[in-house]
């Protein structure tokens, strides 16, 4: 069964900590995405990548960075976590260019910053 | 930018009822997708639509690609408790250049108390 795996289901971090959220896909997909999900706001795109070492800003990149050193792995980095970054984070991947066949999502990481 | 207006935002279902939700936009799209997110999980693709007017079923779920290409509808017949969750519409203009999916804000289905 093809999968997008997020390394943690739940994380609790302190304000100011550097936080790494890891995502691995086993489908040889070119495209990978990071979203955050908050009640009433839907899915908001943080960053995406169409290829190794390539990254593009989404709609809400402030306070985040990403790394894609290998095709299968896309990491989201919170340089200095703040309480307003408490959220559900979803990683997704898709083949080829565009979302023609939809994205495959991971199960999510619920991050709490205290 | 392009936006998808999904309604209703939330609804309560009683077992056996039919459920309808829709997604509209002022922009034209050539792909519409419907996802379901179970509590505590990531969204899962339910149905993909690629042609205006197309009607596609997946079990008790039926989705339609609106003829104007600006909207899409999802119906669930004879709802059951495991239908609860958040349903998202998503749309794409795919014309040879890269394009990301645009998502609606979701319709949350809950069981009537």
């Amino acid at each position: 069964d093809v999968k997008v795996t997020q390394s943690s289901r739940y994380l609790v971090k302190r304000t100011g900590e550097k936080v790494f959220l890891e995502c691995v896909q086993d489908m040889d997909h070119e495209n990978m995405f990071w979203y955050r999900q908050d009640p009433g706001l839907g899915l908001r795109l943080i960053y995406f990548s169409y290829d190794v070492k390539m990254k593009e800003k989404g709609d809400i990149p402030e306070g985040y960075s990403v790394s894609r050193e290998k095709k299968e792995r896309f990491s989201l980095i919170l340089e200095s976590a703040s309480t307003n970054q408490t959220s559900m984070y979803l990683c997704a991947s898709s083949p080829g260019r565009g979302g023609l066949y939809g994205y495959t999502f991971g199960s999510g990481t619920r991050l709490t910053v205290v | 930018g392009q936006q998808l207006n999904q309604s209703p935002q939330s609804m309560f279902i009683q077992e056996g009822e039919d459920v309808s939700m829709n997604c509209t936009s002022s922009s034209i799209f050539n792909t519409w997708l419907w996802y379901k997110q179970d509590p505590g999980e990531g969204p899962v693709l339910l149905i993909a639509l690629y042609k205006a007017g197309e009607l596609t079923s997946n079990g008790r779920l039926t989705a339609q690609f609106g003829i104007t290409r600006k909207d899409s509808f999802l119906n669930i017949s004879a709802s059951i408790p495991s239908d609860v969750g958040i349903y998202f519409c998503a749309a794409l203009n795919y014309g040879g250049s890269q394009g990301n999916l645009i998502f609606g804000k979701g319709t949350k289905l809950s069981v009537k108390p």
Side-chain angles (χ1 to χ4, degrees):
Chain A
D1 202 14
V2 293
K3 271 194 172 169
V4 175
T5 302
Q6 294 184 232
S7 54
S8 305
R9 292 298 297 267
Y10 300 94
L11 272 180
V12 180
K13 296 292 181 181
R14 295 196 180 276
T15 302
E17 272 193 77
K18 190 168 186 175
V19 180
F20 292 86
L21 302 184
E22 306 287 348
C23 175
V24 177
Q25 51 96 2
D26 64 2
M27 297 166 282
D28 201 33
H29 283 173
E30 286 83 358
N31 307 328
M32 295 189 75
F33 307 85
W34 275 106
Y35 288 87
R36 66 175 282 177
Q37 181 179 19
D38 301 288
L41 298 179
L43 303 172
R44 292 184 292 168
L45 183 63
I46 305 171
Y47 267 96
F48 59 100
S49 168
Y50 294 150
D51 204 349
V52 176
K53 299 206 187 283
M54 179 267 181
K55 60 186 177 187
E56 298 240 13
K57 292 180 181 178
D59 300 317
I60 52 162
E62 296 78 19
Y64 303 94
S65 63
V66 290
S67 171
R68 192 160 180 207
E69 295 296 318
K70 292 185 178 180
K71 188 176 186 180
E72 66 270 19
R73 186 179 296 270
F74 193 36
S75 303
L76 180 70
I77 304 154
L78 286 65
E79 296 289 342
S80 177
S82 64
T83 54
N84 63 13
Q85 292 178 309
T86 291
S87 187
M88 171 74 126
Y89 289 87
L90 290 162
C91 176
S93 72
S94 74
R97 294 236 154 204
L100 187 64
Y101 302 107
Y103 299 165
T104 302
F105 283 89
S107 296
T109 295
R110 187 163 292 283
L111 173 68
T112 302
V113 182
V114 298
Chain B
Q2 294 173 321
Q3 278 191 317
L4 300 183
N5 302 307
Q6 191 170 349
S7 66
Q9 279 188 317
S10 63
M11 58 194 310
F12 289 92
I13 57 171
Q14 198 150 43
E15 190 165 353
E17 282 181 344
D18 294 344
V19 170
S20 291
M21 62 191 78
N22 67 76
C23 212
T24 61
S25 177
S26 58
S27 302
I28 290 173
F29 295 99
N30 53 26
T31 298
W32 283 93
L33 306 164
W34 285 92
Y35 282 84
K36 184 198 177 194
Q37 184 180 28
D38 288 326
E41 298 294 331
V44 173
L45 182 64
L46 297 173
I47 292 177
L49 303 155
Y50 298 107
K51 215 189 308 187
E54 181 180 355
L55 190 72
T56 296
S57 292
N58 178 2
R60 294 178 296 104
L61 276 61
T62 302
Q64 183 160 27
F65 191 142
I67 205 79
T68 64
R69 295 168 60 197
K70 294 182 180 181
D71 53 16
S72 181
F73 307 87
L74 178 70
N75 295 315
I76 305 172
S77 63
S79 59
I80 59 178
S82 61
D83 289 334
V84 302
I86 304 175
Y87 291 78
F88 291 99
C89 61
L92 176 71
N93 258 333
Y94 187 77
S97 59
Q98 181 60 283
N100 293 335
L101 287 178
I102 300 163
F103 286 89
K105 287 191 165 61
T107 294
K108 186 175 181 180
L109 249 58
S110 307
V111 175
K112 256 183 208 170

